[in-house]
Amino acid sequence: MRVTILYLPLLYKTVLVISIILLPYKVCAQMEAIVPDRPGFSTGTYTVPVGELYVETGYRYLFRSNLGVELSNMPQINLRTGLTSKIEIFIEWDGFEKHHGQNEIATEWPLLGGKVKLTETEALELTLIVGLGGFSSGNMLALDHLVGVMWEIDISDMISNFGGVQIESEHDENNREWLPATALGAEINLSDKISLVTELYSIYSINAKNYFTAVELAVLILPINTVQIDFHSGLSLSSEIPHYLGLGVSFAFK
């Protein structure tokens, strides 16, 4: 579900659009600690407050020798803002995909979506996520869908459990495929500034009748309340999908 891009001016246009969006905002050190959706497979339960803007971006390197895969995604971008105290909207884009050793650069359509807080107590949070993307090839245009429910449970002051269930669709020139997925993870707060995160997730391909499973490990660093830096890696437990390494930074603006 990718469209070949033979030139790079779109990258500069993307940077320009983001800069224009950020003009009305400023970083505010008095804000509560940022809670990005990156890194990780599952989406967090947190919804961005009204009047705040989250800019989450990063780089990911994917590799697997038996698949002949070596590629990079950059710049991964997720823009989030609140509509109400329990609803946010977001635009998520995986950026350009560069296949190393080839001259071809590809990209997917951005995903436009929303999150709705269903339940919020001291111990449990439940959030609904919906999204709509797209695929185009020649004269054909198709829409891709995403819907899921995410949870977070506070086990103690230091440890929280999170996860979710979701289903998304992907479309190519031939057919549409529905991909149910589950995720289960834990976050350990080593201090106010450093956290460790691990997540196990599995995607089921209905067409291939096969599970694709991976585990991700991440270190989150919070130098100030409005900035998070992440270092993460993914180990594939299935021979059909690649391993990956990544890093990113997220900003909160008000």
Side-chain angles (χ1 to χ4, degrees), residues 114-145:
K115 295 165 65 176
V116 180
K117 186 68 65 67
L118 301 177
T119 301
E120 184 175 15
T121 67
E122 292 185 0
L124 173 66
E125 291 184 5
L126 286 176
T127 297
L128 171 71
I129 178 173
V130 294
L132 188 64
F135 168 82
S136 62
S137 178
N139 295 324
M140 186 185 75
L141 173 64
L143 297 178
D144 294 330
H145 314 84

Side-chain angles (χ1 to χ4, degrees), residues 11 14-15 18 56-59 73-78 93-96:
L11 175 60
T14 302
V15 174
I18 293 174
E56 307 173 13
T57 186
Y59 165 82
N73 282 111
M74 181 180 180
Q76 296 178 311
I77 296 175
N78 190 11
W93 182 51
D94 271 346
F96 295 98

Side-chain angles (χ1 to χ4, degrees), residues 164-206:
V165 293
Q166 68 177 49
I167 183 168
E168 63 179 313
S169 68
E170 290 186 354
H171 201 285
D172 56 26
E173 293 89 344
N174 301 315
N175 54 37
R176 179 180 299 279
E177 180 174 19
W178 292 92
L179 301 166
T182 58
L184 181 66
E187 180 172 353
I188 303 173
N189 300 315
L190 301 181
S191 70
D192 292 339
K193 302 295 183 181
I194 301 177
S195 298
L196 300 180
V197 178
T198 181
E199 181 179 18
L200 175 69
Y201 60 91
S202 185
I203 306 168
Y204 181 69
S205 170
I206 294 178

Side-chain angles (χ1 to χ4, degrees), residues 147-167:
V147 62
V149 176
M150 307 299 159
W151 75 76
E152 182 171 346
I153 301 172
D154 289 332
I155 298 175
S156 69
D157 291 339
M158 290 184 56
I159 302 175
S160 62
N161 164 258
F162 64 88
V165 293
Q166 68 177 49
I167 183 168

Side-chain angles (χ1 to χ4, degrees), residues 58 61 113 189 208 212:
Y61 171 72
N189 300 315
F212 305 108

